[in-house]
Amino acid sequence: MNNPKPHIIVEDGVQYSLGKLKGNQILYDFDKMLIYLDVKGKLLFGKKFKIYNEDRDVLFKLCNYFIEDKANCQKLDIDISKGILLTGPVGCGKTSLIRLLKYLVPHRKAYSVIPTRNIVFGFNHIGYKTIEDYGDTQFFCFDDLGVEPIGRHYGKDCNVMGEILLSRYDLFIEHKVKTHCTTNLNARELEERYGNRVRSRMRQLFNLVAFDSKSRDKRV
């Protein structure tokens, strides 16, 4: 680790400890991580942002995944080598959390969060180069998978995100490049949207982390 104190993060001149350093390992404290996430969330998204107690189970899984706590991930049936597919109803906080959690581990390679709609709009404008651009070894999170329209370039329709997911699967198999996604859709809806071939690849690409289907809309 290049940072001698990766367990301490400074925001606006205030130090937040996420745990203790033991040798070259960080012994993380979940409650301290939640305190930091609440502070960072307010800085990123405004004062109305908060960490909800009802989301602790989801956050526990996500935090353990991002800090790569192998023992806890094994208990939670999470494979650290795969990406995250974060599912849940509209407004439950998926996008905010996936944008936020990378700040827990500033010493690791960050991912870019890209709305799927924007990707399809790019395809409509410049065509298949868009799919190639997301088939490289960069680290991406595709936000709101399944709400994007079908792509159309010069009169030809294309299921853009389906093609990109197939490319990301190849990258994962060949180079262990991770991909994350957020979606409002369930497994059946994803299969209807992208087909059985993509859905089967998604099982190998992602750990499924799901909010409760009755999670309330926090934007109301």
Side-chain angles (χ1 to χ4, degrees):
M1 295 176 180
N2 296 327
N3 178 1
K5 293 183 178 178
H7 63 303
I8 294 174
I9 301 177
V10 179
E11 299 287 352
D12 282 353
V14 180
Q15 287 191 352
Y16 297 92
S17 171
L18 305 183
K20 298 175 182 174
L21 203 58
K22 187 177 181 181
N24 65 349
Q25 274 193 318
I26 303 171
L27 303 178
Y28 284 95
D29 181 312
F30 180 53
D31 287 313
K32 287 181 178 178
M33 286 192 283
L34 293 186
I35 290 168
Y36 169 71
L37 289 173
D38 193 64
V39 168
K40 185 65 177 179
K42 285 177 170 60
L43 290 172
L44 288 173
F45 310 120
K47 290 181 180 177
K48 288 186 176 179
F49 178 86
K50 66 179 282 190
I51 295 293
Y52 290 85
N53 195 51
E54 67 208 57
D55 297 335
R56 277 182 74 95
D57 287 350
V58 168
L59 278 161
F60 186 70
K61 290 177 184 175
L62 291 170
C63 285
N64 277 285
Y65 170 83
F66 279 100
I67 65 174
E68 297 187 359
D69 184 316
K70 291 177 183 174
N72 274 339
C73 282
Q74 195 167 14
K75 289 177 195 168
L76 295 163
D77 198 23
I78 290 172
D79 184 341
I80 291 170
S81 72
K82 296 181 179 183
I84 290 288
L85 177 63
L86 185 58
T87 73
V90 173
C92 68
K94 301 181 297 296
T95 300
S96 297
L97 288 184
I98 210 74
R99 286 183 180 276
L100 181 59
L101 280 154
K102 60 183 176 182
Y103 293 98
L104 275 180
V105 283
H107 52 289
R108 297 217 175 99
K109 184 181 176 183
Y111 48 87
S112 302
V113 180
I114 315 287
T116 56
R117 283 180 176 275
N118 294 8
I119 296 171
V120 174
F121 295 152
F123 174 86
N124 293 346
H125 183 58
I126 61 172
Y128 287 87
K129 184 180 182 300
T130 302
I131 293 172
E132 291 170 21
D133 288 346
Y134 290 101
D136 66 16
T137 54
Q138 287 187 68
F139 196 178
F140 292 111
C141 172
F142 300 124
D143 187 35
D144 257 352
L145 185 70
V147 303
E148 76 282 356
I150 288 290
R152 174 165 280 208
H153 187 66
Y154 284 110
K156 287 189 176 179
D157 286 354
C158 177
N159 191 328
V160 177
M161 288 310 304
E163 293 298 324
I164 288 173
L165 288 171
L166 291 174
S167 296
R168 300 300 295 181
Y169 171 80
D170 292 340
L171 279 172
F172 174 69
I173 295 300
E174 292 167 22
H175 304 291
K176 294 299 173 193
V177 177
K178 290 183 189 177
T179 304
H180 301 320
C181 288
T182 72
T183 185
N184 303 328
L185 305 187
N186 60 34
R188 179 183 53 77
E189 290 166 330
L190 285 167
E191 189 163 325
E192 285 173 5
R193 185 76 170 76
Y194 299 108
N196 184 50
R197 182 168 169 240
V198 172
R199 176 69 189 128
S200 68
R201 301 287 192 281
M202 288 177 74
R203 290 189 189 98
Q204 293 171 269
L205 264 176
F206 300 119
N207 295 285
L208 177 64
V209 178
F211 280 85
D212 190 285
S213 60
K214 296 185 181 69
S215 290
R216 60 195 167 102
D217 188 340
K218 300 178 180 79
R219 296 180 297 195
V220 174

